Each structure stands twice: as C-alpha cells, then as structure tokens.
Amino acid sequence: MPIARLTDAERGDALKSLPGWSLRADGLAIVRELKFADFGEAFGFMTRVAIQAEKVDHHPEWFNVYNKVRITLTTHDAEGLSLRDVALAKFIDGVV
C-alpha cells in the first residue's frame, strides 16, 4: 500500500502540533536543530531515536557535530511529508 503524502492542510495542522520543527524551504520535509550539553548526550539521544526508527522502519536524515544534531524528516516513498514523519517527530520531541 502506498504511503500518502500529507495535503497542505494536513501539513499545516501537523506543524502546529510540532513546536520546534519548521518546514524546509521546498515544503517536502520538516527540520529541527537541537543542542545538547555535550557529545555523549547528543549521541545518546541519537541512539534512542535510531532504535525507534528501526522499529518503525522510518529513518531520519541527520547531521551531528559535537553537541548539535540537525534532523530532517521526509518520506521518500511519498515524495514529501507523511504521517510517518509526524509520528517520528513526536517521538523525538518526547525524547528531548
């Protein structure tokens, strides 16, 4: 079953429920930048998210330097945002 891409209205509603996340310029992804106390805390956070991402078979695009993590969520199969991105963003927010 194909993964449905969020409509503009659904995307807008989702962003209202995800403080700290912003829409990427092309409208096809959401992004969030996080800063932690140190590398160990950032890596621990990434490990928790990685375990969940494996469980739900939906993986973030991310970049880490020392205590900073930049996360991009998009669903390639949907060619944009899907409910999978919203669910993973909410999980990430719960970890933070």
Side-chain angles (χ1 to χ4, degrees):
M1 174 182 237
I3 298 170
R5 182 173 167 175
L6 296 180
T7 65
D8 290 345
E10 290 169 331
R11 186 178 63 203
D13 288 343
L15 281 170
K16 289 177 190 172
S17 72
L18 296 170
W21 291 87
S22 58
L23 190 62
R24 194 171 67 188
D26 64 6
L28 300 178
I30 52 176
V31 296
R32 182 164 184 193
E33 294 187 21
L34 300 164
K35 186 174 182 181
F36 298 91
D38 55 30
F39 178 74
E41 192 176 302
F43 192 82
F45 160 79
M46 292 175 72
T47 301
R48 288 188 65 194
V49 173
I51 291 167
Q52 178 66 13
E54 276 296 299
K55 286 180 184 175
V56 298
D57 193 29
H58 190 61
H59 304 90
E61 298 173 11
W62 52 17
F63 181 75
N64 165 246
V65 175
Y66 183 57
N67 67 336
K68 296 176 186 160
V69 179
R70 178 179 170 85
I71 306 165
T72 302
L73 298 177
T74 190
T75 302
H76 299 288
D77 292 342
E79 297 179 353
L81 286 173
S82 76
L83 290 176
R84 297 178 87 188
D85 302 303
V86 175
L88 189 54
K90 287 181 179 181
F91 176 84
I92 289 167
D93 289 348
V95 173
V96 174

